[in-house]
Each structure stands twice: as structure tokens, then as C-alpha cells.
Amino acid sequence: MPDACFSHPRLAQVYDPLDPDRSDLETYVNLATEFGAETVIDVGCGTGEFIARLVDMDVSALGVDPAAASLQVAQPKLKPGSAELVIGTASDVADDNARRHSFDMATMTANVAQVFLDNEEWLSTLRAIRLCLRTGGRLVFETRDPADRAWERWTKEATHRAVELAELGVVEEWIETTNVEGEFVTFVSPTIFHLDGERIDSTSTLRFRPRSVLEQTLSETGFTGVEVHDLPYAPGRGWLFIATAGS
């Protein structure tokens, strides 16, 4: 199930205003151009920021996400008929034979690759993405380097933000790490709507897998030629994986 920050209609509505800087997506835009991708599946597309950029590039795009509320925010960003949004998972898309081997590129932007906590859930997602990609297609995703210990910077003092929105008034948010257990980091994100005082707490957990494990899981699920780069928009803090769908 998606976390409340994506699935709660009120939180989905303010997700973009509270995180307006999506310069991280330029990496994916540039790679789509470099690879000449004409068809892209964005797994965990959220509120559709990357899908909208693909549409502007005249790329045929499909966004899939289990959070219906996020897709409701995404839909108005797209011209009618310009892209497809699917409520579900990569496995749901791969279950449709017509969609198999039909995409040039697959993406998981931001922290999407880290929301798969169970090993089999992660492996089944990679297998499904491989089924969706044509042979030679690329999977591109990012993940944070555990050695950077990003969760130590997830404090109210470091992450607090507030925005004033025309119809909602002031909306306040921050994140705080609440538990670290091995590779699993749990944090809470309170969102406060000052107009009526409602506070919604969203709890999330991310898994910080080691690079070697990620490389191994890609190999196990039909990907070859795995490249690992420093994360362009956060150097020294994470990795950008580019893997090719094998035959």
C-alpha cells in the first residue's frame, strides 16, 4: 500500500507545492534524449512531474502508481490522450501481454527504488520491468548510498518548510527519522493545514540496500551491462543505476 503522503487526497494535493524543486528529473530527461527513447514507463510516477516532461518531449509515456490520489493530481498536467496513467504496480502492467517488450526505457525516480522493503517484492518489480522493456531497453533508477547516512539529516530543524497556497492557506511540513534498523529507516512527516488546523502524520520506511546487492539483483532479473554513476544532483550521496534489458 502507498504511504499516506501519496494516497491521502489532501496530502497529494500539496505534495508538489511543498517540494517544488524537481531539478533531479533533468538527469532522466537527458538520458531519455541520449537513448532516443520513444516509449517510457515511469514506475512510481506519483504526481506525474516526469510524465509531464516526457509528454512535452513527444515521448509516449505510461505512468504507474498504486496511489490513486497522486494520479488524480497528475492527470490535469497532461494533454488529453498524451500519456496513460495506471493505478497499480509494474507487475500489473507486465500482466498485460500487449504491454510486454514495448518500452524503450523504464524509470524509478527519487526514492521509488527504496520503497520496496521485501526482497521478493523488489525482485518481482525488477522482473516485471524487464518484461515491459524491449531487449536492449534501459532501466534507470537512483538510490541513496547508506554510507552517507542521509537519515541523520532528517530533522525538523533541517527539513521544515511552509508554503502559502491560494485556497488552502499556510501548509507546514517537516520530516523526522524515528527508527533505524539495519538497512531500514523509518521517518514521520507531519503536514499541518493552518486554515482549519488539521494535522496529518505520514509514516514511511525506506530500505538502503548496498550497491553490490543492487547489482546482484539486477543480474538475477535479466539485466546486463549495469552502470553505476554518482548521482548527478546529489554527488557523493547516492548512485544512478543504468541497466540494459538482456535477451
Side-chain angles (χ1 to χ4, degrees), residues 16 45-49 51-52 69-78 85:
D16 292 335
C45 67
T47 58
E49 284 294 302
I51 292 290
S70 290
L71 296 187
Q72 288 174 354
V73 174
Q75 191 66 65
K77 300 176 183 178
L78 309 176
L85 300 177

Side-chain angles (χ1 to χ4, degrees), residues 14-25 49 53 161-163 165 173:
V14 299
Y15 184 84
D16 292 335
L18 285 168
D19 187 19
D21 180 9
R22 295 309 311 270
S23 56
D24 59 300
L25 297 177
E49 284 294 302
R53 299 188 189 203
R161 68 197 107 182
V163 296
L165 306 176
E173 182 196 58

